[in-house]
Amino acid sequence: MAESFSQDTMAYLEALAANNNRDWFNENKQRYEQYVREPALSFIEAVGERLTEFSPHFRADARKMGGSLMRVYRDSRFSKDKTPYKTNIGIQFRHEAGKDVHAPGYYLHISPSECFIGAGIWHPPADALLKIRQFIADEPDLWLAARDDEAFSRWFYLDGDSLKTAPRGFDKTHPLIEDIRRKDFIGISDIAPVLIEQADLADIACDYFTAAAPLMQFLCRALRLPY
């Protein structure tokens, strides 16, 4: 199976967005399997073969359900939007110590409106967030070396939510208070949609993941995890 996606993948996602209901999804289940799940699982396997070379503690799990390919079903219980399906593809390679999407990891996002590669930790739980903030406050030079690394900053920009004020227990005059206020520590790199159709997509993604090493190493060190 191909390790990359195709124009048919985008066409399917656009059609799903226009027909986001269970009847249409079930009638077009084979399209989902052919244009989303099959290439995604092949991509995950290909990345897994490469991860051991630069991030041996991160996992590529090519299971159909519960692995690196994020589920297509939306959790709409607490949302005004009750459409049942996600109209994007999300693939995460998280740390072996992580149990969900809130662990440190690498990420590929595919949708008709945007494609991007991410690295870092999104919405970490309170104890992990405190450790990261404290590590920045205590080791500012290490954080600056990671954040401003030439390769990382050339490939990625930092994104995510932040508090409006200094978190409790932190000096609001700290020179890195803007970073300490972050609630997410994620690097994002927008990519051209044509890249997802490349036969060497796994190699391309891993080049991005390698460039994210300074951020990932810092986060793992802050959380006392092996990188």
Side-chain angles (χ1 to χ4, degrees):
M1 292 186 291
E3 298 170 5
S4 59
F5 300 86
S6 66
Q7 293 182 8
D8 290 322
T9 302
M10 288 300 194
Y12 170 81
L13 294 175
E14 289 174 344
L16 176 59
N19 303 275
N20 201 326
N21 61 77
R22 289 177 176 81
D23 288 342
W24 187 91
F25 183 81
N26 290 332
E27 290 170 3
N28 291 270
K29 190 66 176 293
Q30 182 54 38
R31 292 176 67 189
Y32 172 76
E33 293 291 337
Q34 183 175 356
Y35 302 132
V36 176
R37 180 177 273 168
E38 289 180 4
L41 298 184
S42 294
F43 169 76
I44 290 165
E45 290 181 351
V47 170
E49 295 172 359
R50 296 158 174 80
L51 272 179
T52 56
E53 299 173 4
F54 60 90
S55 294
H57 296 282
F58 289 78
R59 295 290 173 256
D61 187 342
R63 286 179 293 166
K64 287 187 175 182
M65 299 289 290
S68 294
L69 176 61
M70 301 175 75
R71 65 199 305 266
V72 68
Y73 305 100
R74 293 184 63 251
D75 183 354
S76 59
R77 291 174 299 171
F78 308 106
S79 174
K80 293 181 180 179
D81 180 2
K82 297 302 181 182
T83 53
Y85 304 106
K86 298 174 185 174
T87 56
N88 69 277
I89 301 170
I91 298 173
Q92 191 198 37
F93 305 94
R94 60 176 175 260
H95 195 280
E96 63 188 7
K99 297 180 180 179
D100 56 31
V101 70
H102 305 288
Y106 303 104
Y107 179 72
L108 173 64
H109 179 98
I110 299 171
S111 77
S113 60
E114 62 177 348
C115 295
F116 64 83
I117 287 175
I121 186 166
W122 177 76
H123 287 13
D127 58 338
L129 181 58
L130 178 60
K131 289 178 181 177
I132 295 169
R133 286 172 168 166
Q134 194 63 57
F135 200 51
I136 293 174
D138 293 344
E139 301 288 350
D141 291 342
L142 292 179
W143 170 246
L144 289 173
R147 187 195 70 182
D148 300 337
D149 177 83
E150 182 179 356
F152 174 72
S153 56
R154 184 171 67 248
W155 291 59
F156 292 92
Y157 60 89
L158 287 174
D159 201 9
D161 296 332
S162 294
L163 294 173
K164 293 182 179 180
T165 60
R168 182 179 301 176
F170 289 88
D171 181 2
K172 64 181 180 180
T173 66
H174 192 288
L176 292 177
I177 195 60
E178 288 192 12
D179 287 322
I180 293 171
R181 288 195 290 110
R182 292 183 180 277
K183 295 193 289 184
D184 303 308
F185 293 86
I186 50 176
I188 297 294
S189 188
D190 300 308
I191 61 173
V194 69
L195 284 183
I196 72 161
E197 300 175 27
Q198 302 303 305
D200 59 344
L201 177 61
D203 288 330
I204 293 171
C206 287
D207 285 343
Y208 279 87
F209 297 161
T210 301
L215 174 65
M216 300 300 280
Q217 289 171 340
F218 180 90
L219 294 175
C220 286
R221 187 168 178 180
L223 298 173
R224 298 177 179 86
L225 297 173
Y227 174 73

